[in-house]
Amino acid sequence: MVMAALLLVSFLAPLAAAAVLVVFRHYAPLLRRNPGAAALPRGSFGWPLVGETLAFLRPHASTARGAFLRGHVARYGAVFSSHLFGSPTVVSCDAGLNHFVLHNEDRLFQCSYPGPVRGILGESSLLVVTGDRHRRLRAVALAFAASASAGPRRRRYLADVDRAARAAVTSWRGGRLAFCREARQFAFGVIVEQVLGLSPEEPVAGRILEDYSTFMEGLVSLPVNIPGTPYARAVEARRKISVTLEGIMEERRKGEGSFRKAAFLDVLLANSDLSHDDKVTFVLDSLLAGYETTSVLLSLLVYFLGQSPKCQEQLKSEHERIRSCKGAEEFLTAEDYKKMEYTQRVINETLRCGNIVKFVHRRALKDVRYKGYLIPAGWKVLPILSSVHLDPALYANPQEFDPCRWEGLNQTAGKKFAPFGGGLRLCPGSELGKVEAAFFLHHLVLAYRWRLDGEDVPMAHPYVEFRRGLPIEISCTSIYEGEMVVL
């Protein structure tokens, strides 16, 4: 027994010493500060090394703040200190501070995702790169968004999205449906067609989707790179995607394979400043934004509308007016999109209530003082976007799904609404995702009514997931019944 105790002490002593050193390194400088200076936000730091990370990441409904934030805000206020992801952290549930952090990128704050996330996403991912490299790679993403937003390319893009949405919706025949799967299929088909020039039915597209699903599972898993773990499988999945894309790029250069006439991959191939890994990472980023985020948005839309027959009917009326001015097989246009005013309110209210992005990672580059608070240099800063969206001081009855609250308001800007981030890191493809959602809703509400089939609340993990796949009951209404259009 004595020997076992000695062995245990000899094992734990180095860990305890390391924990003391970490705490001293991070917090001792604060003890030497002028007592009259700006104060560190109040808070609690939890266990050494682990801190409060596990409690912070505990799954909860994405339509609520969750127990951790609710308890800490009640005790310490909207801005508080904690120890998360291995670092001392200032957590902000304050709209003004969040806006301040997001709009001072590279001056006072810098993107700072945990190392394991960078290990899977790749060092070229827009989510993790900083400084000049971020600006250079962001320009590529903006070029992709711009290519789908102007001139003949925009008309083709809108027609492609419309065709894909109509094909998805008219393939159903009523009854019970696991909607998350349908949303993922639609969003994946659009993004692989636009970026890679591939039909989603191509076997190679199926392989990419399979590997990408493994990649996403590992992205939010424990960072243990041991064979068989989700993290290790994700690293391997990224390698497989890289090899697959290398083959696609080679076929594209030679003019071989079954590709569309044009895709954004051509722009990537023509860019000699980008490495192969840059191009692979761009595709992964595109899937993350254009597939993962858009599919979750669609699922959230169906979830909230499924609980509000009144909103469904109002949405249907708007789209009936738009469709009444068009032929049965005529594609939706940019002018049609501008007429979808209530649709935009529904999408914004869904983004506010559903919170696809809960928080972002930043790090203070220098000591920052904000309204009497001190954020020490080197500390992590977590702007909690979802908490602002659900703040009763900013939104009346914030738990209520009410698209009409957006009537007459600026629907894309403001300190209290940042579903796609902000500043230099505002999502480049946010508008494309909203277009795809609006076009999908157009065909969905014209063809069906639906209701939720049992309880399936969107959960923040911190990514949003429906545990049961969002089962719904659908019934045909009119427009496509008996005349399924072949395009």
Side-chain angles (χ1 to χ4, degrees):
M1 288 291 291
V2 173
M3 181 60 68
L6 289 174
L7 287 173
L8 181 61
V9 169
S10 67
F11 175 74
L12 294 177
L15 293 179
V20 170
L21 286 174
V22 168
V23 171
F24 182 80
R25 185 183 70 199
H26 285 306
Y27 302 115
L30 300 178
L31 302 177
R32 298 194 293 270
R33 294 181 185 272
N34 183 345
L40 185 72
R42 296 184 304 132
S44 57
F45 297 99
W47 295 92
L49 297 181
V50 176
E52 298 184 303
T53 306
L54 296 180
F56 176 76
L57 292 177
R58 187 169 294 128
H60 62 86
S62 71
T63 54
R65 285 179 164 179
F68 178 87
L69 289 177
R70 192 168 57 249
H72 279 63
V73 169
R75 182 177 299 178
Y76 305 116
V79 180
F80 60 88
S81 298
S82 184
H83 194 281
L84 301 170
F85 304 101
S87 299
T89 304
V90 170
V91 180
S92 171
C93 298
D94 178 80
L97 180 52
N98 287 2
H99 186 269
F100 179 75
V101 171
L102 294 175
H103 287 78
N104 277 282
E105 177 83 17
D106 287 344
R107 290 190 295 271
L108 300 177
F109 304 95
Q110 191 174 70
C111 184
S112 180
Y113 280 84
V117 173
R118 295 196 302 271
I120 294 182
L121 289 176
E123 294 298 331
S124 299
S125 173
L126 272 175
L127 281 176
V128 302
V129 294
T130 59
D132 289 339
R133 195 175 185 205
H134 172 259
R135 283 185 281 274
R136 180 168 58 86
L137 291 172
R138 179 176 170 78
V140 177
L142 288 172
F144 169 59
S147 71
S149 302
R153 177 69 181 84
R154 178 170 177 76
R155 288 194 295 273
R156 197 189 78 188
Y157 165 73
L158 295 178
D160 288 344
V161 174
D162 192 22
R163 182 188 295 108
R166 188 182 307 202
V169 168
T170 57
S171 67
W172 308 337
R173 292 295 184 275
R176 190 173 184 274
L177 200 67
F179 185 78
C180 286
R181 180 175 179 273
E182 302 296 328
R184 285 194 292 266
Q185 287 182 338
F186 165 73
F188 180 75
V190 170
I191 197 65
V192 297
E193 186 175 33
Q194 298 303 315
V195 176
L196 299 178
L198 287 172
S199 164
E201 287 78 28
E202 293 283 342
V204 66
R207 292 200 302 272
I208 293 174
L209 178 57
E210 182 179 350
D211 288 332
Y212 179 77
S213 298
T214 303
F215 168 86
M216 276 303 300
E217 289 172 6
L219 186 60
V220 291
S221 67
L222 289 174
V224 180
N225 199 2
I226 298 175
T229 62
Y231 186 87
R233 289 198 297 270
V235 173
E236 175 62 14
R238 190 186 188 284
R239 186 195 66 79
K240 288 181 178 179
I241 293 173
S242 178
V243 171
T244 300
L245 291 177
E246 191 169 338
I248 292 173
M249 291 175 185
E250 186 61 26
E251 287 185 352
R252 191 82 184 191
R253 289 190 191 97
K254 295 178 178 178
E256 300 173 349
S258 53
F259 297 103
R260 292 167 48 99
K261 291 182 179 179
F264 194 73
L265 182 60
D266 298 318
V267 178
L268 292 178
L269 292 175
N271 192 327
S272 58
D273 293 333
L274 297 179
S275 67
H276 173 69
D277 191 63
D278 288 340
K279 295 168 185 176
V280 169
T281 304
F282 178 86
V283 174
L284 288 173
D285 283 348
S286 300
L287 289 173
L288 187 61
Y291 164 59
E292 195 70 29
T293 304
T294 302
S295 66
V296 172
L297 172 57
L298 288 171
S299 296
L300 287 169
L301 283 164
V302 165
Y303 171 77
F304 289 117
L305 289 169
Q307 300 175 88
S308 179
K310 180 180 177 182
C311 290
Q312 277 193 48
E313 286 304 311
Q314 191 167 346
L315 196 63
K316 182 180 179 182
S317 295
E318 177 173 88
H319 288 279
E320 283 177 337
R321 289 194 298 272
I322 293 170
R323 179 50 59 181
S324 67
C325 301
K326 307 183 73 66
E329 298 187 28
E330 193 175 348
F331 291 124
L332 292 169
T333 66
E335 289 303 313
D336 296 323
Y337 181 62
K338 291 178 183 178
K339 297 175 185 176
M340 299 179 185
E341 295 180 0
Y342 184 71
T343 304
Q344 291 298 327
R345 295 173 201 153
V346 169
I347 290 173
N348 278 341
E349 184 68 348
T350 297
L351 291 168
R352 185 193 68 80
C353 290
N355 296 294
I356 297 174
V357 178
K358 178 180 177 180
F359 63 94
V360 293
H361 293 260
R362 297 293 185 267
R363 177 174 62 87
L365 296 175
K366 59 182 74 173
D367 283 0
V368 178
R369 288 162 180 80
Y370 180 85
K371 292 185 177 180
Y373 293 119
L374 169 70
I375 303 175
W379 276 42
K380 183 178 283 290
V381 184
L382 294 185
I384 310 294
L385 310 179
S386 61
S387 189
V388 173
H389 295 162
L390 299 169
D391 187 344
L394 300 175
Y395 295 96
N397 302 315
Q399 302 294 331
E400 180 183 347
F401 180 77
D402 180 17
C404 291
R405 75 171 77 239
W406 295 96
E407 189 170 355
L409 298 178
N410 184 334
Q411 300 187 13
T412 59
K415 294 181 180 180
K416 68 178 189 178
F417 186 58
F420 298 107
L424 295 177
R425 291 184 178 271
L426 179 68
C427 177
S430 58
E431 188 59 27
L432 300 184
K434 292 170 75 172
V435 168
E436 291 166 22
F439 280 26
F440 190 94
L441 282 177
H442 174 82
H443 294 289
L444 178 62
V445 297
L446 291 179
Y448 299 102
R449 289 190 182 91
W450 70 95
R451 62 178 181 84
L452 305 183
D453 184 11
E455 186 72 11
D456 194 12
V457 177
M459 299 295 291
H461 286 266
Y463 66 96
V464 176
E465 178 185 66
F466 288 88
R467 289 175 171 171
R468 296 178 58 223
L470 190 57
I472 61 174
E473 288 282 348
I474 62 172
S475 57
C476 296
T477 56
S478 59
I479 188 168
Y480 298 126
E481 189 174 13
E483 53 169 297
M484 299 303 180
V485 180
V486 179
L487 297 173

